[in-house]
Amino acid sequence: MDFDVLHDPKTKFSISKAICLAKVAHLAYKPNDEVVSTAEEWGFEATPFEKGETQGFIASNDSAIILTFRGTESNKIEDWITDLKASFVEGPVGKVHQGFNEALESVWEEIYSQISELVDDEIPLWITGHSLGGALATLATSRFIHEEIPVQGLYTFGQPRCGNKAFVKTLNRGQKNKYFRFVNQKDIVPRVPGKSLEYESAGICYYLDMQQKLHRKAGFWTEFLDILSGLASKKEINFTEEIKHLALDHKMQNYLAGLEKNKIEKKKKNS
């Protein structure tokens, strides 16, 4: 995998960058020794961090720094959604999710100390994460912006909403054209907590449809009609199976597979 693309000074969306960061987010689920050895194969020195259930690692070399947070195992999604501490607390700007904020706070001092020592004008900082890890990546990015540490790009996969309108507005302004949020088909996690609780989605959304085609800035109707067409193509609907698909659509490896398929299709189209 060519991680040299992460040294590109351009901040616009890149499928190659998305795949690199998806691979990093996927690696975050592996044991620490595998994280360190795989990162070394990729040309990075990795330092894992862990406090309770908040885990991840920082990978760095002379060309890039990557901060990633581990997400939620698919078999724990249902419990995680029902146990959400969805109350708001004050963030650096706006209001943020209490539970996510507490999870980040438990490792923030360690992360901030390491990143502060590594970052400079010549080495870009990238932040990524899947599921809960995507929410923590988003909150971490907002804190770095507040501390005037530039983030070259934020790429998240299947992340839940994590702040109110004021938080989202400030984050989108600070990360304009540098925050890309991926949603895979019927993955329920990016759709919680609900907007009725005053939560808002942030970043530029890229949606993987039922054929794994990537759509930029897909809105509600694009997603709704895609899901509806998928259901309409079935002779009968097995709701137990549909619920299973919610978990399958949330798996990090399925996000990664969808992105890789789009890169292959793009190459074929351009050849």
Side-chain angles (χ1 to χ4, degrees):
M1 190 69 201
D2 183 12
F3 282 87
D4 288 343
V5 295
L6 298 183
H7 193 53
D8 182 358
K10 297 177 182 177
T11 59
K12 67 180 182 179
F13 174 78
S14 159
I15 190 71
S16 295
K17 291 173 185 173
I19 290 172
C20 284
L21 295 170
K23 285 181 176 289
V24 173
H26 191 218
L27 180 60
Y29 286 96
K30 305 298 183 181
N32 286 344
D33 57 348
E34 187 172 344
V35 166
V36 172
S37 62
T38 302
E40 187 175 357
E41 291 173 7
W42 291 343
F44 290 86
E45 180 180 349
T47 305
F49 56 83
E50 180 176 351
K51 189 68 176 290
E53 293 189 5
T54 306
Q55 301 173 44
F57 64 90
I58 298 169
S60 62
N61 59 21
D62 293 336
S63 298
I65 304 163
I66 309 171
L67 167 63
T68 185
F69 294 87
R70 194 181 82 171
T72 309
E73 299 290 352
S74 292
N75 61 357
K76 295 181 180 178
I77 291 173
E78 186 177 349
D79 290 340
W80 177 65
I81 290 174
T82 57
D83 291 342
L84 284 176
K85 290 183 180 179
S87 300
F88 281 124
V89 293
E90 293 292 335
V93 177
K95 295 182 179 180
V96 298
H97 186 285
Q98 178 186 345
F100 301 157
N101 190 67
E102 290 174 357
L104 178 61
E105 188 63 34
S106 69
V107 294
W108 178 247
E109 186 175 340
E110 178 182 355
I111 290 170
Y112 181 75
S113 175
Q114 290 187 46
I115 296 293
S116 298
E117 291 180 5
L118 292 169
V119 76
D120 65 32
D121 293 337
E122 300 297 323
I123 306 178
L125 169 62
W126 302 86
I127 304 183
T128 188
H130 166 250
S131 190
L132 169 62
L136 299 183
T138 302
L139 293 182
T141 298
S142 72
R143 291 194 184 197
F144 283 122
I145 291 172
H146 185 69
E147 296 292 338
E148 298 184 345
I149 294 178
V151 176
Q152 185 78 355
L154 168 62
Y155 285 65
T156 68
F157 309 91
Q159 75 155 96
R161 299 177 180 122
C162 56
N164 68 354
K165 187 175 183 178
F167 169 81
V168 167
K169 183 178 180 180
T170 303
L171 179 61
N172 285 345
R173 184 169 60 244
Q175 283 296 110
K176 186 177 181 180
N177 297 322
K178 296 193 291 182
Y179 173 12
F180 306 102
R181 177 176 58 85
F182 295 84
V183 178
N184 185 35
Q185 301 178 48
K186 291 176 283 187
D187 185 355
I188 190 65
V189 175
R191 299 168 172 99
V192 298
K195 291 190 175 183
S196 62
L197 299 175
E198 298 184 18
Y199 281 87
E200 296 287 338
S201 297
I204 298 172
C205 179
Y206 277 83
Y207 175 68
L208 285 162
D209 68 17
M210 303 292 279
Q211 284 74 45
Q212 292 192 311
K213 182 179 179 181
L214 198 60
H215 300 266
R216 186 178 187 270
K217 288 188 175 179
F220 167 80
W221 286 109
T222 301
E223 297 181 22
F224 176 75
L225 291 173
D226 176 56
I227 293 170
L228 191 63
S229 66
L231 292 174
S233 66
K234 299 179 180 180
K235 292 182 179 180
E236 59 181 48
I237 299 174
N238 185 319
F239 286 100
T240 301
E241 289 301 315
E242 292 301 320
I243 290 172
K244 287 181 181 179
H245 273 291
L246 298 180
L248 288 173
D249 289 345
H250 186 62
K251 283 180 175 289
M252 185 59 226
Q253 56 262 46
N254 291 335
Y255 275 90
L256 180 55
L259 291 171
E260 290 177 329
K261 181 178 179 180
N262 275 268
K263 185 174 183 179
I264 292 170
E265 292 298 325
K266 185 177 180 181
K267 281 186 176 179
K268 287 181 180 178
K269 188 176 180 180
N270 294 335
S271 62

